[in-house]
Structure formats: structure tokens, C-alpha cells
Amino acid sequence: MAETPRGRLLGSVRARAALGAALAMAAVLAVGGIWLYGVLRANLLENTTGRTELAARKVAAQLDTRALPAGRLPAPESGVDLVFVLDAAGRVTASTGDPGRLAAELAALRPAAGDDSRAAVLPPPAPGGGERRAVVVVSAPGPAGTAAHYVYAMTVLGDVDDATRSVAYGMLGGAPPLIAFAAALAWWVAGHALRPVTAIRDALAAVTGSELDRRVPDPGGADEIARLARTVNDTLDRLERSDARQRQFTADASHELRNPLAAVRSRLEVALEDPDRESVAAALADTERLQRIAADLLLLARLDGRPAPRTEPVDLALLAAEDAARRGAPRVRLRVVAGAPVPAAGDPARLERALANLVDNALRYARTEVVVRAYARDGWNVLEVTDDGPGIPEADRDRVFERFVRLDADRGRASGGTGLGLAIAREVARSHGGELVALDPAGGAGGGALLVLRLPAGSS
């Protein structure tokens, strides 16, 4: 199903960042607004109730000292709207104005036992009209030892309600612009931060199989996007090297297979014209060479996949002895030197193939002797193959492990080498967590080659 423009928009990082910022701002404003509204309302009501109670207590103090005139009371201060006094029977004895029905409504509002005052908030006098009122009642002894009187003070809460309503409207009106500002700011910041990502994406989209040399722009710095760009460029570097290696491998394989195939064809054509045993034998030898090359290529392809080798106990000293025994009487002397078993763990078949390739290479170039040593040292299990041949120049000691590389190409073809033996041996070593290197043989400048295969002793 095709993605809609709306889906693409909401799926972008910028859109999600803007939406997240908007929701966060809305949540902050909602929680903060409710808290501020509640605190402001409570403070205003507390202040109003305090002023109302103070007005009632002033009248109660005057009543206690018999200084309160009967009938009309002076107008209260601090915005209190009405003060009146009720006797124990609920009759109005003094007031600042006409309490009307309010006196009868409040006659039942008295302080609780043990308290001398009580406060209450009355609803509007009529549903849908009027304003709330704060009322405080204070008990006081009546004049000349009469029964207790009750002083009522009332303040209309219009100012409190107007103030809280204004704050509520202000927060509700200011919330949308603040939310929109937070979303716009997040949109801009995300776009600015992701601009290098867009450049990386565009550059990466331009990379094709024929243009693997392209690289994405590095914005610099040490942030996540800069590290992403460098990681992408490192990956492209590895991909380019792998592609170049694959192309070279294909070219080398084609070259190596072309000559034997041509030779087989020509010998078979000769055999068709004039059948003889020698032509058929030569064609068979060339076919066997082709089989060896194909088998080596298949093994290398498998090793390139970096499969985990089969792990079995392997004695490298015994492996070297068995390889020497299978060879019978080689062209030059072959010695195995191992003072004790060298236990390791790995794939016996592949380790045997690696050792055989090393010994084959040494026998091909040795003048008089090849020595195979097996030992454990410094946390490694080691197989060394030394010959007294012409040796490997220092400049070629790494190149000799590349595929189809022969330092003496003519001699290699004549003796049946494919140029893959050392490459296979190194890949086998690496698949076991080890390494294969070419070093100077002990004793120095007299020539000869020393190939050292190391396997980690921890795997044994």
C-alpha cells in the first residue's frame, strides 16, 4: 500500500520532534496552570477570609468591652461588605446594613464546641446569578453578662472570582501560542540538526556499483551525526576494497582457468585426430589441475563467509607427523620436530589442509630440507614450516598470501601450484582466531622461508 503524504510527514523525525515538543509544552502548561490556578485561588480566598474574620473579631472585642453601640454599626474596613450581631435567639442586635434574609439563613451557622469561630463559603444567592460569599462567625459574651452573641462578617467573593477567572482565561488564551512556538522551535532545531543527515542520505543514494569511490560529507565534530558519517565512509571503504578484491579475484580465476581449458581442448582435438595414450594422459593431467583450482576456489568462497569452524580436539604435533607420513619419500628431506603434544581445538580437516599447503609450498622451493615444528609458547599453539630455498623477499612477505600470487610464476605453473595454497592457509588460520605470517628464518641472511601459523592456546 502506497504511503500517503500525511503518513510521510508524521513519519519524519522533524514532525515527531515537533509533535513531542507540542505535547510536552501542553502537559507542562496544563499541570502548571492547574497548580497556579489552585494556589492563587486558595491564597485569595485565605486572604479574604482572614480580612473578614478580622472585621468580625473587632466587633466582638467591642461587644465584650461594652463599647459596641446598639443598632447601627460603623462600616467595616478592608472590603468587608456586611457585619451584624445575632443574640442567642437569632435576633439581629446590631449591623452595618440590612442583613435581610441572610440573618435567618446564617442563624444555624455557629462555631463548633471548643471553637470561637467558624468560616464558610456560601453559594450564589440565586442559581445562575449573584456571586459567592465568604462568611465568618465569631462568638462573644453578650453585654452586661447576657447570653453569648454571635458576630457575622460577610465578604462578597467577586474580586476573588474575577481574579481567578482572568488568570484562567489568560492561561487558556496563552497556551496555544506557546504550544505552537514550542512545536515550531522543535521543528527548526530538528531540521537544522538533521541537515547533515539529508546530505549523507543524498550522497549515499548516489553510490552505485560503478561509483563505489563516492563518500558522504563529514560534518565534523564529535556528535552522533559526525560519527555516523565516518562509519558510513568506513563501510564504503570496506565495500570498495571488497569489490576491488572480488573483481581481481574474478579476473585472476578467469585467467587461471583459461589456460588449462585451452590446453585440454587442444589435447582432446589432437586425440580425436590421432588417438594416442600420451595425449589422453596429458588431457587428464590438465583436467586434474582444473579440478584442483575449482576445489581451491570453492574452499576460499566458503572461508570468505567466515563460518565458525568445527571445534574438536587436535594435536598439532600429531597432525604434522601424520602429514609427513602420508608423503612417503618427498624430493627433499622432510623433518618433524615436536618435543611434546601440542593440544589445540579446531576443525581437523581444515587445519590439516592448511598445514599440507604450507608443506607443499616449502617442498616446491626447498633445496635440501624442510622442517616442520610444533610447539606452544606465550599463549599460542604454533606450527612452523621452514625451508632452505630462495626465501621470500621482505617486500613480498604479505603479498605472498594474496590469491593467485606467485613470486616465480613460471616455476609455479610447472610444478603444479595454483597460487591459492597460502591464501587458503591464512584464511583457515584466521577462521580459527589465529594468523599466518612469513618471517625471517633463524640464522638470518642465508635464504630460506619461514611460515608461522599461530592458533590461540585458549581454544585448546
Side-chain angles (χ1 to χ4, degrees), residues 289 292 331 360-361 363-365 406 408-419:
R289 175 176 170 80
R292 290 197 300 271
R331 180 181 62 86
D360 286 342
N361 181 79
L363 290 174
R364 187 174 299 121
Y365 296 105
R406 298 185 187 88
D408 187 347
D410 293 335
R411 183 176 179 182
R413 283 185 172 84
S415 57
T418 63

Side-chain angles (χ1 to χ4, degrees), residues 254-304:
S254 301
H255 177 74
E256 290 293 328
L257 293 173
R258 182 177 57 194
N259 291 336
L261 283 172
V264 170
R265 178 175 179 176
S266 64
R267 293 182 189 279
L268 291 176
E269 289 174 348
V270 170
L272 286 174
E273 295 294 334
D274 184 16
D276 65 85
R277 189 178 184 86
E278 183 178 351
S279 297
V280 175
L284 179 60
D286 287 335
T287 303
E288 290 174 348
R289 175 176 170 80
L290 281 173
Q291 286 180 326
R292 290 197 300 271
I293 294 175
D296 288 346
L297 290 175
L298 180 59
L299 178 56
L300 276 173
R302 290 173 178 169
L303 292 172
D304 281 342

